[in-house]
Amino acid sequence: MVGKEKALPGQLPLEREVEVAGSQVLQTPVDTMLEAQLQTQQRSSQNGQEVVTLSPVISPCGPFPDKPVVFFQTSLWSSGFRMKLEAVTPFLGKYRPFVGRCCQTCTPKSWESLFHRSIMDLGFCSVILVKEENTSREWALRDLPPALGAVPRFRGWLVRRLCCFLWSLEQHIPPCQDAPQKIMESTGVQNVISGRAPGGAGEGQVPSLVKKDVQRILGHIQAPPRPFLLRLFSWAMLRFLNCLFLNVQLHKGQMKMVHKAAQAGSPLVLLSTHKSLLDGILLPFVLLSQGLGVLRVAWDPRACSPILRALLKKLGGLFLPSEANLSLDSSEGVLARAVVQAALEQLLLSGQPLLIFLEEPPGTQGSRLSALGQTWLGLVVQAVQVGIVPDAMLVPVAVTYDRVPDAPRDTYHALPPLGLWTGALAVLRSLRGWGCSHRVCIRVHLAQPFSLQEYTINARSCWGSRQTLEQLLQPIVLGQCTLVPDTEKEQEWTPVTGPLLALKEEDQLLVRMLSRHVLNACVASSAVMSTAIMATLLLFKHRKGVLLSQLLGEFSWLTEETLLRGFDVGFSGQLRCLVQHTLSLLRAHVALMRVHQGDLLVVPRPGPGLMHLARLSAGLLPAFLSEAVGACAVRGLLAGRVPPEGPCELQGIELLSQKELYRQILLLLHLLPQDLLLLQPCQSSYCYCQEVLDRLIQCGLLVAEETPGSRPACDTGRQHLSAKLLWKPSGDFTDSDSDDFEEAEGRYFRLSQQSRCPDFFLFLCRLLSPPLKAFAQAATFLHEGQLPDTESGYVEQLFQFLQATAQEEGFFECADLNLAISAIWTFRDLGVLRQTPSPAGPVLHLSSTFASRDNQEKLEQFIRQFICS
């Protein structure tokens, strides 16, 4: 008899017993998923026998994705018709954390009003799972128990084959008239037509011609959605997603929060990450299927051909006309911006939900934040501020994939615009090439909505003074100063386009801060997929290879650590099947070799495949970012005291003062790009230092060392209330007892000497090694590069140098074009490089300060102190 583990009240048991061929075996809540059918092809190699994983058929999320994350290590053997499973303790025995709560500092009212603890237990649903029950009308006994209320409107074998079509017919599509006449009669457009605004008809243009221009611009922006096309699109998307993906998961509790926000009467504005071009058609399908109507998507005109733009506009797409980016004194630009603003105002007044992508499209090099997304968000902010709509509810959204289906193979050049026929061929190629055995899972995350009006009122009080990176770091890098200024870093890499330039400077700052705040919420609510965990283990922990039996334990350990940090994971199921499924998705980048006793050796393939693993591992970095920053800061402190190749016992002897730790953490925070850190603008750097230190203590890497005469570290009582504590905002108080920084000088810590700590410390340091090593190599390249040169030319020079260094040293994860761009832009902000305009584009040259080889070496040493070899 296999023992059962008692489930929490209101939850299904974690385990249950069933009879299989007369023997008692253990069955999990994911027992109905397909058996793992691992087909292998063996071929001889020099070091052993390589096994190519072809088709492990399994749903990592299972048909019951709303259940807890349960891993079972199983030992299978068969004898005739009998099968035995050796059960071990379920993974954690805990349930998924509910993620996506809004910021309590900036939006405390939204944090309370749009959430209830009961929604945490609603679990997940698969949006693409449509059966007979989904053809029922909601008026059929809605309040009765499920056994009586779920009455299908249609039944039978024919309905089971046509349920997708019947489901698409029953989707409620409200009328979405764009009211061109109302746009024409809006105040902003009428001011331009009458000449009361700069660039209007009163300055030499005929009003009738201006009206034709308005209609032409409006045709470029949008078109009335067609219900027939929307239903056909829904049916086609349902069929396509079922063929290509195992499931598309959505938390029903998150969806309930969005429904509750929509019922408040304010328009919904969804602000999303952008991992795939598929996001723009997947999210409208999801929201339409959940009864939120037609989602209007703000597309990037550069990513679509004219024919595809015409089709997307009929499906609810919005496009910013090119004239809107003209200069502020251009008559065409003034008219285009007035029409765009009027069209957006009418859309918000009609109550239609709007989707804006905050990230640049996949394959785009440079800034992570989208200039186009900030433009649309600025128009929404302006509409709320002038009172067109009293408020708007902002919903952070994220879509995560096991493997991005349209990930570009060549990430070093911009993708051409996607055409209609090109997209159709890509779909057919995906359906043919992927097949059932290579399907992946998708998670759609809808974080807690919050009020834009409330954020605007509260957020401004959290912004402090700011200085450039050159003012903050350059004196410290050159050894001219040791004190880190008590101010925030000013770093903005996203260009400001025409519609955003028309706003006041204070409103532009509001839009930038809001974009970062929402993107931080999107990343925090994103689930960590199995491929991210596997790529992290292979790249940063087992680069030389690992046995499959050991990899199973490592996968379970890292999943547990991720959940303990409040991040969700996008999978569940049997541990061995999950690992097999993940390795099959990474089959192009890993090699499996059979060793003694039937075990497998998993080795990452050397070469450019490591860059792919590095991009996948970026999905796990936010969960461990605080500890990784702290570990690299500790490494910087120990760099000048203990040799890197010295034993770990020597590192544990060194005392680390809290003041020194704060300083090192601040230096690293200033060095790393904001696009990587994505810190909340309402959180000060010193507050983040306290959080990092708390995390290091909680995970056991640092232990407090009490010095004679100092107050015990466990004494959290206040000896006195200093003047600093009287004005500190509530957000600056954490679990750490270091609120008074003057008392921090007497606090000391040591590195823990527990057996697991050295390996965990190295693992955390290596998480930030790709950007830090790329920055260090960029500093080395300063005396080899050909300067002056255009920015694009110098980026190409540095990228070729990173590739050559990767071939020599084997660190291919650093040979990334985006890392090269980040290094050059960081050096520009630091004052290492100077930029001057020219007809061919910005020209870079070395500054006079860093023209000397000594200062270049100081810069390289400053960066390398944080790198753990």
Side-chain angles (χ1 to χ4, degrees):
M1 179 72 68
V2 180
K4 301 180 184 178
E5 180 171 334
K6 186 177 180 182
L8 296 178
Q11 298 287 347
L12 293 179
L14 296 184
E15 308 172 4
R16 58 191 178 96
E17 294 174 353
V18 296
E19 289 285 331
V20 177
S23 63
Q24 290 182 333
V25 300
L26 184 67
Q27 192 172 23
T28 73
V30 292
D31 54 353
T32 59
M33 63 185 175
L34 298 175
E35 294 182 359
Q37 300 173 350
L38 186 62
Q39 302 176 0
T40 61
Q41 179 182 6
Q42 301 181 358
R43 62 172 181 246
S44 61
S45 62
Q46 295 180 354
N47 299 326
Q49 207 168 20
E50 186 173 0
V51 180
V52 181
T53 304
L54 295 179
S55 58
V57 183
I58 181 175
S59 169
C61 306
F64 300 99
D66 54 330
K67 301 303 181 290
V69 183
V70 183
F71 285 170
F72 288 90
Q73 181 107 25
T74 59
S75 176
L76 299 176
W77 61 270
S78 58
S79 174
F81 294 101
R82 303 176 64 86
M83 178 182 290
K84 178 180 179 181
L85 282 80
E86 178 186 351
V88 299
T89 305
F91 165 73
L92 278 183
K94 296 184 178 180
Y95 292 79
R96 301 179 183 275
F98 186 82
V99 296
R101 299 297 302 274
C102 63
C103 179
Q104 194 174 8
T105 302
C106 300
T107 52
K109 293 181 180 178
S110 300
W111 190 83
E112 294 179 356
S113 61
L114 296 176
F115 177 79
H116 192 273
R117 294 195 62 86
S118 61
I119 69 176
M120 299 171 60
D121 302 327
L122 294 180
F124 293 86
C125 66
S126 182
V127 180
I128 61 176
L129 184 63
V130 176
K131 300 180 180 178
E132 289 180 89
E133 291 77 7
N134 299 107
T135 63
S136 60
R137 296 289 188 182
E138 289 191 2
W139 48 261
L141 306 176
R142 180 184 303 176
D143 296 326
L144 292 182
L148 300 177
V151 180
R153 187 184 179 191
F154 308 103
R155 294 178 182 271
W157 65 270
L158 182 61
V159 174
R160 285 193 292 271
R161 286 155 179 80
L162 298 178
C163 58
C164 295
F165 177 73
L166 297 174
W167 172 85
S168 64
L169 292 179
E170 291 191 347
Q171 295 305 306
H172 174 63
I173 300 179
C176 301
Q177 296 297 329
D178 291 313
Q181 187 62 32
K182 292 183 179 180
I183 296 175
M184 185 73 70
E185 296 173 354
S186 66
T187 304
V189 175
Q190 286 298 315
N191 287 340
V192 175
I193 294 177
S194 62
R196 290 191 294 269
E203 298 185 2
Q205 301 184 44
V206 181
S208 60
L209 297 179
V210 178
K211 290 182 180 179
K212 291 182 179 180
D213 286 340
V214 171
Q215 295 174 353
R216 177 184 59 81
I217 294 173
L218 190 57
H220 286 312
I221 298 173
Q222 62 187 9
R226 305 296 176 87
F228 172 75
L229 283 178
L230 286 168
R231 297 186 190 280
L232 182 63
F233 161 78
S234 300
W235 172 79
M237 276 296 296
L238 189 59
R239 301 292 296 179
F240 168 72
L241 293 174
N242 272 289
C243 291
L244 196 58
F245 299 104
L246 288 170
N247 50 47
V248 179
Q249 292 185 66
L250 177 67
H251 197 286
K252 292 182 284 188
Q254 294 178 347
M255 196 68 239
K256 187 173 182 180
M257 289 192 301
V258 177
H259 274 292
K260 188 175 181 180
Q263 294 170 0
S266 299
L268 292 178
V269 180
L270 285 77
L271 304 172
S272 175
T273 59
H274 204 180
K275 303 302 180 186
S276 167
L277 292 177
L278 184 63
D279 296 348
I281 57 177
L282 173 66
L283 290 173
F285 166 79
V286 170
L287 266 70
L288 181 62
S289 67
Q290 299 301 311
L292 284 178
V294 179
L295 179 64
R296 311 302 298 271
V297 183
W299 287 91
D300 188 352
R302 301 169 299 175
C304 308
S305 67
I307 298 178
L308 185 58
R309 284 202 298 267
L311 175 61
L312 291 176
K313 281 188 284 189
K314 294 178 181 179
L315 294 175
L318 300 173
F319 292 89
L320 191 71
S322 58
E323 297 91 338
N325 292 320
L326 296 177
S327 60
L328 297 181
D329 56 354
S330 169
S331 59
E332 295 180 357
V334 171
L335 179 61
R337 286 187 286 272
V339 175
V340 171
Q341 182 67 41
L344 183 66
E345 291 172 357
Q346 290 300 320
L347 188 149
L348 295 176
L349 287 171
S350 65
Q352 301 177 53
L354 172 65
L355 172 63
I356 299 172
F357 290 109
L358 292 180
E359 287 184 321
E360 287 287 354
T364 304
Q365 283 82 40
S367 174
R368 181 176 183 177
L369 283 171
S370 169
L372 180 65
Q374 289 191 357
T375 297
W376 284 105
L377 182 57
L379 295 174
V380 174
V381 171
Q382 187 178 6
V384 173
Q385 287 187 340
V386 299
I388 300 298
V389 289
D391 198 2
M393 301 303 296
L394 305 183
V395 185
V397 182
V399 183
T400 53
Y401 303 82
D402 276 338
R403 185 178 64 184
V404 179
D406 58 348
R409 296 181 181 179
D410 182 10
T411 59
Y412 310 131
H413 300 90
L415 297 177
L418 180 64
L420 184 59
W421 296 112
T422 307
L425 290 176
V427 170
L428 293 176
R429 193 181 304 113
S430 300
L431 294 177
R432 178 184 177 184
W434 284 43
C436 296
S437 61
H438 305 313
R439 293 188 298 172
V440 301
C441 301
I442 304 179
R443 278 283 296 273
V444 178
H445 316 271
L446 302 173
Q448 184 178 5
F450 63 92
S451 165
L452 174 59
Q453 191 71 263
E454 183 184 10
Y455 177 86
T456 304
I457 296 173
N458 297 332
R460 298 180 190 271
S461 61
C462 300
W463 303 340
S465 59
R466 296 179 177 272
Q467 290 184 359
T468 64
L469 189 61
E470 182 176 355
Q471 295 171 325
L472 289 173
L473 274 190
Q474 191 182 100
I476 299 175
V477 170
L478 299 178
Q480 301 171 355
C481 177
T482 58
L483 183 64
V484 184
D486 185 9
T487 184
E488 304 300 316
K489 176 177 63 174
E490 177 64 35
Q491 188 178 62
E492 187 55 49
W493 290 351
T494 306
V496 182
T497 56
L500 201 58
L501 283 173
L503 300 180
K504 299 178 182 178
E505 209 172 297
E506 184 180 3
D507 293 336
Q508 294 180 27
L509 180 61
L510 173 65
V511 172
R512 293 199 298 267
M513 296 297 182
L514 177 58
S515 301
R516 295 195 179 277
H517 204 295
V518 175
L519 192 56
N520 173 275
C522 294
V523 172
S525 62
S526 299
V528 178
M529 307 305 283
S530 60
T531 48
I533 294 179
M534 183 64 69
T536 303
L537 288 173
L538 295 178
L539 186 64
F540 300 119
K541 201 167 174 59
H542 302 291
R543 182 185 289 266
K544 295 183 179 180
V546 58
L547 293 175
L548 181 60
S549 56
Q550 181 184 355
L551 187 59
L552 294 173
E554 296 279 358
F555 189 93
S556 177
W557 162 77
L558 193 52
T559 303
E560 178 181 353
E561 293 290 338
T562 303
L563 289 174
L564 290 176
R565 283 158 177 80
F567 280 75
D568 197 6
V569 293
F571 52 86
S572 64
Q574 291 181 336
L575 178 59
R576 182 174 293 272
C577 296
L578 280 169
V579 172
Q580 290 175 351
H581 172 79
T582 307
L583 291 176
S584 71
L585 295 178
L586 300 176
R587 62 192 178 278
H589 311 291
V590 298
L592 305 183
M593 288 176 274
R594 192 175 299 280
V595 293
H596 59 85
Q597 297 180 354
D599 208 345
L600 294 178
L601 180 66
V602 183
V603 183
R605 296 183 187 273
L610 293 177
M611 290 186 290
H612 181 77
L613 295 180
R615 285 191 288 269
L616 288 175
S617 66
L620 184 66
L621 180 59
F624 294 87
L625 182 60
S626 297
E627 290 95 330
V629 170
C632 290
V634 173
R635 173 73 195 112
L637 273 181
L638 296 175
R641 306 180 186 179
V642 180
E645 63 277 2
C648 299
E649 291 78 6
L650 293 179
Q651 299 181 1
I653 297 176
E654 294 294 326
L655 284 179
L656 309 175
S657 72
Q658 188 164 322
K659 183 179 180 181
E660 291 175 329
L661 285 171
Y662 280 151
R663 181 179 180 277
Q664 288 295 116
I665 295 172
L666 279 176
L667 292 178
L668 187 54
L669 289 179
H670 292 330
L671 176 64
L672 294 175
Q674 285 187 350
D675 285 357
L676 174 67
L677 296 172
L678 284 181
L679 302 182
Q680 289 183 338
C682 60
Q683 185 182 31
S684 67
S685 296
Y686 274 102
C687 178
Y688 189 75
C689 288
Q690 298 174 33
E691 178 183 336
V692 169
L693 187 59
D694 289 339
R695 290 289 187 92
L696 292 178
I697 297 173
Q698 290 168 6
C699 70
L701 284 180
L702 288 183
V703 292
E705 180 74 16
E706 297 179 2
T707 57
S710 63
R711 186 159 60 100
C714 59
D715 183 9
T716 58
R718 299 292 180 188
Q719 295 182 352
H720 63 277
L721 287 176
S722 64
K724 291 185 178 181
L725 294 179
L726 299 179
W727 57 263
K728 275 192 176 180
S730 59
D732 283 352
F733 291 94
T734 65
D735 294 336
S736 175
D737 56 345
S738 55
D739 291 318
D740 191 353
F741 292 101
E742 293 179 357
E743 296 181 1
E745 294 187 43
R747 308 276 169 78
Y748 290 89
F749 300 91
R750 293 183 190 272
L751 274 180
S752 175
Q753 293 301 298
Q754 296 181 12
S755 58
R756 68 175 185 88
C757 286
D759 288 340
F760 190 48
F761 177 76
L762 292 176
F763 171 74
L764 292 175
C765 290
R766 289 168 182 165
L767 290 178
L768 288 176
S769 60
L772 290 175
K773 287 182 179 178
F775 283 20
Q777 293 175 11
T780 305
F781 184 67
L782 286 175
H783 67 278
E784 299 182 16
Q786 302 297 324
L787 287 174
D789 194 0
T790 61
E791 182 177 301
S792 58
Y794 192 66
V795 167
E796 185 66 25
Q797 287 187 53
L798 178 58
F799 178 58
Q800 293 177 0
F801 177 77
L802 293 178
Q803 287 181 315
T805 307
Q807 292 288 346
E808 296 175 2
E809 301 180 358
F811 295 105
F812 288 91
E813 64 271 20
C814 304
D816 189 278
L817 186 60
N818 278 321
L819 290 180
I821 296 175
S822 297
I824 290 175
W825 287 0
T826 300
F827 286 2
R828 183 190 59 192
D829 295 344
L830 187 56
V832 179
L833 300 174
R834 298 296 183 187
Q835 180 176 295
T836 56
S838 73
V843 175
L844 297 176
H845 57 88
L846 265 177
S847 65
S848 57
T849 305
F850 286 89
S852 66
R853 187 66 180 271
D854 291 341
N855 287 344
Q856 294 176 12
E857 291 179 353
K858 289 179 181 179
L859 174 63
E860 184 178 356
Q861 291 174 2
F862 174 80
I863 299 172
R864 290 195 180 277
Q865 67 175 328
F866 301 109
I867 301 175
C868 190
S869 58

